[in-house]
Amino acid sequence: SHLFICCSFSCYVHKQLSYNPTSSPFLTLHAVRQWNNVPFFTVPLARAHGKSFAHRSDLRQAKRIVVKLGSAVVTRGDECGLALGRLASIVEQVAMLQNQGREMMIVTSGAVAFGKQRLRHEILLSQSVRQALHSGQNQLKDMSLPVLEARACAAAGQSGLMALYEAMFTQYSTCTAQILVTNLDFHDDQKRRNLKSTLHELLRMNIVPIINTNDAVVPPPEPNSDLQGVNVISIKDNDSLAARLAVEMRADLLIALSDVEGLYDSPPGSDDAKFLDTFYPGDQHSITYGTKSRVGIGGMEAKVKAALWALQGGTSVVIANGTHPKVTGHVITDIVEGKKVGTFFSEVKPAGPTVEQQTEMARSAGRTLASFEPEQRSDIICALADLLTERKDQILSANKKDMEHAVSRLSPAMVKRLSLSSSKLNSLSIGLRQIAVSSQDSVGRVLRRTRVANNLELEQITVPIGVLLVIFESRPDCLPQVSALAIASGNALLLKGGKEAANTNRILHELAQEALSIHGVKDAIQLVSTREEVEDLCRLEKMIDLIIPRGSSQLVRDIQRAAKGIPVLGHSEGICHVYVDHEASVDKAIKIIRDSKCDYPAACNAMETLLVHRELLRTPLFDQLIDMLRTEHVKIHAGPKFASYLTFSPSEVKSLRTEYGDLECCIEVVDSMQEAVDHIHKYGSSHTDVIVTENEDTAEQFLQQLDSACVFWNASSRFADGYRFGLGAEVGISTARIHARGPVGLEGLLTTKWVLRGEGHTAADFSEQGSMTYLHENLPVARVLPGRKTTS
């Protein structure tokens, strides 16, 4: 019997669908015209069909989508029954996209596996009954199962498979319809028209068609020259079926899910196999196909041929893994959102290298850069410093274009960050020369030397981290600063700037590469100009060694979440405090608070919360502070304790942990220096915090107890900056508690390696039976240059 588990609407639709043997061996729709007046939610087509999407990010516009579920996705590992958990998560994603107004179609395998499970159960049950009757005993003997014919399994499993889909989709108030097809349905013009008409009608009614080859009657595939043109393709398997269906229905996207991540240039298990994020027509010769999946009649070669055929017909294609437990629950939605999942088939080959190729180029050139003498790296940085002033007209002209576009689209604070000037370029040039000087003693510096034993010496030496990825918003002045620090530390650099500064970033990157060309390492710094999503860059854990975000707290948080396999250096918030002690100088307090809040309110080192000792309330000092803030047009938010002292208070703060980034701040009252420290530990972000007091003991306690990256006494929070610290520049400010902390300059971009020099020593020499003993003597430290051996 065929059991349909469905909602009342779904039941009604099924009653109206019947088999018509005179027209086509698939379900056709009767009496469905009465649904013409039923309002279904749809969205307009995002584009005219005819050409596939050129970029992954365009996949968000896909309206009509075919999802092909391979046998390995649908079936269990024992090939006898369905993978219900995977199937449920796939159904949830399809239903969600359908409810967004997209038109979803499923091409599914699984009928044979489902039928095999069902028939095995029936055979076992039948054999056990006969055996019990024959022997007169309840004890059963070993029973062997006959080989089950695939067509019979398909016939037995198709109804159950459809019933399962019905039950799952019903949970999301989504209706489905089953359609079985064979090759004849596409080769016969009338049947093909009937099929398309039925599918269009189902999609119009917001129903998800579930399509499969009619494996109960389909003949075995015959070798032929199918896939040789848009109008000819033989339906050999569900790969070819999905491709043909996608083209016939003018689908925007075909998602083919299998048990592999996508395409590799050689079999995935081989050592040198490289994953292909994007595949272009004509690249077939560059890949080697491996074996087929554990189930199914197709293979990767069949998938690629079908995908290229669909691409030629105007449908974009992504082949991805639908079996991985960590991604199955969002693989389809991730693809539609344009994320880098699986292999994307594109007809548009980018003019320049891919981001993966850029990273490899940078790493290769970076290793050469790291081997240079310090003077060579210094030469490159000085050349870049000269170019910033020599080409300032070009730089400012490019910046003017960016500013003109930004004024109407960005906030005033963001526009200010974007702006460059002659004075800014001069300051940048000076900062770069400071970095050039400090680079003389960076890479290859010996930190420690130890004589482990006779003729066995150990050194700890500074070395570059590797490949840095710096992602920055606005602020194009970040590009030459970070470039100089990367050069000085011998690191390769991948830069991803915001599109709002595209013109300025382009000219500054060209200048950086021109300076690098002096010593033939132009490729050590790369600017990502392709349409790469930040989240996708954060997944290159095998290529990138450290990510440094520079921008809004939201950008930093997003990157910290996305970069699960790559360390991130930075801070997500800049909630900086200034505590005014009851023994503070009036003049110092007013001067420091004005500078900390008003000099550059959008900076991460600007004051966001002013803590005032309770004894200062209703004193001339406090009145002057309030008057100064009002004069500077600073909006004041009252903390809970401060509000309790006032009859008419400013608006009470919503959260004591707020980074305003503007002419706004919170004022709160504390009873002591210790309470100020406790408040900062609870609500601060470990960035920069200041005490204003004339009491040295109080100040020292504050400096010692507070666990922030920067703690100041009687100085503005705005000093938390690499240039002001004398580092030349900074790649950012880190609030982490390992590696670099505070403004991160040259030293923060270095790590270490251990070099051991011996003469045939073995660990066994130092065992109880060995002839040697450890000495572990500290030796004088001397600088080691690349390629040279140190001397004591």
Side-chain angles (χ1 to χ4, degrees):
S1 63
H2 189 154
L3 175 65
F4 284 98
I5 305 170
C6 45
C7 64
S8 57
F9 177 77
S10 184
C11 284
Y12 180 83
V13 172
H14 271 289
K15 289 177 184 176
Q16 305 308 314
L17 294 173
S18 63
Y19 176 68
N20 184 349
T22 62
S23 60
S24 172
F26 53 79
L27 293 172
T28 54
L29 198 62
H30 285 271
V32 80
R33 297 295 175 188
Q34 59 187 287
W35 289 94
N36 281 349
N37 296 323
V38 177
F40 291 102
F41 171 69
T42 57
V43 293
L45 282 172
R47 68 187 182 105
H49 187 85
K51 195 169 184 180
S52 60
F53 293 120
H55 306 282
R56 275 186 185 268
S57 56
D58 297 332
L59 297 180
R60 298 188 187 99
Q61 303 173 29
K63 162 76 173 177
R64 184 169 291 171
I65 302 170
V66 176
V67 178
K68 182 263 175 181
L69 306 180
S71 300
V73 176
V74 176
T75 61
R76 297 193 319 227
D78 61 4
E79 303 175 26
C80 190
L82 302 181
L84 296 180
R86 280 203 296 268
L87 207 56
S89 66
I90 288 168
V91 165
E92 181 180 14
Q93 294 172 79
V94 171
M96 185 181 78
L97 293 171
Q98 179 83 0
N99 291 331
Q100 289 177 358
R102 304 180 197 271
E103 297 174 345
M104 305 299 296
M105 293 179 280
I106 294 178
V107 175
T108 183
S109 302
V112 173
F114 197 78
K116 187 184 292 185
Q117 180 188 38
R118 186 174 178 182
L119 291 181
R120 281 186 176 180
H121 176 76
E122 293 293 333
I123 291 170
L124 284 172
L125 182 63
S126 175
Q127 286 182 346
S128 64
V129 170
R130 284 199 303 270
Q131 221 175 68
L133 291 173
H134 183 266
S135 63
Q137 300 173 358
N138 291 327
Q139 223 172 15
L140 302 179
K141 298 177 182 176
D142 291 338
M143 294 175 288
S144 60
L145 287 171
V147 176
L148 298 174
E149 204 270 332
R151 290 192 187 90
C153 292
Q158 191 64 50
S159 60
L161 178 64
M162 188 60 202
L164 183 63
Y165 274 119
E166 282 287 342
M168 289 182 172
F169 273 106
T170 297
Q171 305 304 311
Y172 305 97
S173 302
T174 301
C175 297
T176 59
Q178 178 186 19
I179 297 181
L180 299 177
V181 298
T182 66
N183 224 358
L184 296 175
D185 299 316
F186 291 96
H187 285 233
D188 183 282
D189 290 341
Q190 183 58 46
K191 291 181 178 181
R192 187 172 68 252
R193 284 194 293 269
N194 289 342
L195 172 60
K196 290 174 64 175
S197 174
T198 299
L199 288 170
H200 280 295
E201 197 70 19
L202 291 173
L203 293 176
R204 188 190 66 79
M205 294 173 61
N206 204 29
I207 294 172
V208 176
I210 297 178
I211 305 119
N212 196 358
T213 52
N214 192 353
D215 293 328
V217 299
V218 71
E222 298 178 3
N224 57 26
S225 56
D226 54 331
L227 302 175
Q228 287 189 352
V230 174
N231 298 318
V232 183
I233 184 172
S234 174
I235 307 303
K236 293 181 175 183
D237 49 42
N238 277 345
D239 293 313
S240 52
L241 169 60
R244 181 64 183 264
L245 187 73
V247 173
E248 289 282 353
M249 293 300 294
R250 299 167 68 96
D252 300 309
L253 173 61
L254 166 60
I255 299 174
L257 297 183
S258 184
D259 58 352
V260 292
E261 306 301 324
L263 265 64
Y264 291 78
D265 58 358
S266 55
S270 58
D271 292 336
D272 297 328
K274 289 185 179 179
F275 179 74
L276 303 177
D277 163 72
T278 307
F279 188 79
Y280 306 98
D283 283 355
Q284 298 96 311
H285 63 279
S286 66
I287 61 175
T288 304
Y289 297 103
T291 58
K292 296 194 301 180
S293 65
R294 57 178 174 81
V295 288
I297 60 175
M300 186 52 71
E301 187 171 8
K303 289 175 177 56
V304 171
K305 287 182 177 179
L308 290 173
W309 191 89
L311 187 69
Q312 186 182 358
T315 297
S316 294
V317 183
V318 175
I319 295 177
N321 192 336
T323 63
H324 197 294
K326 290 186 178 179
V327 300
T328 301
H330 47 83
V331 59
I332 298 172
T333 51
D334 280 355
I335 290 170
V336 176
E337 288 172 9
K339 295 181 180 178
K340 268 195 174 180
V341 178
T343 298
F344 172 61
F345 285 70
S346 174
E347 292 185 295
V348 180
K349 203 160 189 174
T354 65
V355 67
E356 290 83 2
Q357 291 170 334
Q358 282 186 292
T359 308
E360 290 177 356
M361 290 161 60
R363 184 181 292 278
S364 177
R367 285 173 176 154
T368 305
L369 177 68
S371 70
F372 283 172
E373 299 290 335
E375 292 77 14
Q376 291 176 287
R377 289 193 294 272
S378 179
D379 288 345
I380 295 171
I381 299 169
C382 289
L384 178 55
D386 290 339
L387 288 170
L388 289 178
T389 53
E390 291 171 6
R391 309 277 180 84
K392 68 178 180 181
D393 291 341
Q394 289 178 253
I395 298 170
L396 295 177
S397 175
N399 187 244
K400 184 180 178 181
K401 292 180 184 177
D402 290 329
M403 293 286 290
E404 289 170 352
H405 287 97
V407 168
S408 60
R409 296 183 299 167
L410 300 179
S411 66
M414 291 289 281
V415 172
K416 188 175 180 181
R417 289 185 178 188
L418 179 61
S419 173
L420 288 179
S421 63
S422 294
S423 60
K424 260 192 180 181
L425 292 175
N426 289 333
S427 296
L428 277 172
S429 181
I430 294 169
L432 263 57
R433 294 184 188 282
Q434 290 179 333
I435 296 171
V437 173
S438 60
S439 69
Q440 297 286 335
D441 189 30
S442 56
V443 182
R445 187 172 75 256
V446 179
L447 302 178
R448 175 178 177 176
R449 294 183 66 214
T450 304
R451 180 177 286 116
V452 179
N454 288 329
N455 299 317
L456 186 65
E457 291 188 6
L458 178 69
E459 293 176 335
Q460 185 183 19
I461 299 174
T462 57
V463 293
I465 290 173
V467 178
L468 311 177
L469 168 61
V470 176
I471 301 169
F472 56 101
E473 295 176 324
S474 297
R475 296 193 62 174
D477 55 330
C478 169
L479 195 152
Q481 290 177 332
V482 173
S483 296
L485 287 169
I487 294 166
S489 56
N491 285 292
L493 180 61
L494 204 61
L495 293 159
K496 172 66 173 175
K499 60 184 178 182
E500 66 279 354
N503 293 298
T504 316
N505 288 339
R506 189 178 302 111
I507 183 66
L508 290 173
H509 175 247
E510 288 173 2
L511 297 181
Q513 289 203 319
E514 184 176 334
L516 287 163
S517 298
I518 294 174
H519 291 294
V521 285
K522 173 184 175 183
D523 292 334
I525 296 178
Q526 298 285 330
L527 179 66
V528 178
S529 56
T530 57
R531 297 170 64 173
E532 296 291 330
E533 298 291 338
V534 168
E535 188 173 342
D536 294 330
L537 292 172
C538 292
R539 292 177 180 173
L540 300 174
E541 68 275 0
K542 294 182 180 179
M543 298 179 146
I544 293 168
D545 300 295
L546 179 66
I547 300 176
I548 304 171
R550 293 196 63 174
S552 66
S553 57
Q554 187 60 50
L555 170 73
V556 179
R557 283 194 295 269
D558 290 344
I559 290 172
Q560 288 173 335
R561 277 195 298 266
K564 296 178 181 178
I566 311 174
V568 178
L569 189 151
H571 66 281
S572 58
E573 294 172 304
I575 304 174
C576 303
H577 295 73
V578 175
Y579 165 57
V580 182
D581 187 55
H582 66 290
E583 297 182 80
S585 159
V586 176
D587 293 338
K588 289 179 184 177
I590 291 174
K591 187 178 179 182
I592 288 169
I593 292 167
R594 178 188 283 117
D595 189 73
S596 295
K597 179 71 259 185
C598 307
D599 177 60
Y600 190 3
C604 63
N605 58 11
M607 181 194 79
E608 304 293 4
T609 299
L610 172 62
L611 298 177
V612 179
H613 194 286
R614 179 172 51 83
E615 293 181 12
L616 293 178
L617 295 178
R618 300 183 178 89
T619 66
L621 186 153
F622 183 74
D623 292 340
Q624 290 180 53
L625 284 176
I626 297 299
D627 290 342
M628 179 273 292
L629 291 173
R630 285 175 176 165
T631 301
E632 297 290 344
H633 306 289
V634 177
K635 183 177 180 180
I636 297 172
H637 302 276
K641 287 185 69 175
F642 180 44
S644 68
Y645 286 99
L646 303 173
T647 305
F648 300 100
S649 69
S651 61
E652 189 165 341
V653 69
K654 294 180 181 178
S655 170
L656 289 168
R657 189 183 175 89
T658 301
E659 183 179 13
Y660 298 99
D662 207 340
L663 284 173
E664 296 182 65
C665 75
C666 168
I667 297 180
E668 183 57 311
V669 174
V670 292
D671 292 337
S672 65
M673 179 276 295
Q674 188 59 53
E675 188 176 332
V677 170
D678 294 341
H679 178 101
I680 294 170
H681 281 157
K682 184 174 182 179
Y683 299 108
S685 61
S686 301
H687 192 295
T688 301
D689 299 291
V690 178
I691 183 172
V692 183
T693 184
E694 295 303 299
N695 188 312
E696 185 175 350
D697 290 338
T698 302
E700 287 301 327
Q701 288 181 51
F702 182 90
L703 299 177
Q704 294 299 319
Q705 292 184 33
L706 201 58
D707 186 25
S708 296
C710 300
V711 284
F712 300 161
W713 173 24
N714 287 347
S716 168
S717 62
R718 292 280 290 126
F719 277 105
D721 175 83
Y723 176 76
R724 295 178 182 124
F725 277 11
L727 305 179
E730 66 183 32
V731 293
I733 293 181
S734 172
T735 55
R737 283 166 171 77
I738 57 173
H739 191 52
R741 199 161 189 234
V744 180
L746 179 56
E747 292 292 324
L749 299 181
L750 296 170
T751 185
T752 64
K753 71 177 178 182
W754 295 91
V755 178
L756 185 66
R757 295 183 175 91
E759 294 183 359
H761 293 75
T762 65
D765 294 335
F766 298 87
S767 66
E768 291 183 3
Q769 294 78 29
S771 59
M772 302 190 73
T773 57
Y774 289 109
L775 299 176
H776 293 145
E777 297 174 355
N778 290 330
L779 298 174
V781 171
R783 176 180 162 74
V784 59
L785 296 176
R788 300 183 188 176
K789 188 173 179 179
T790 57
T791 57
S792 57

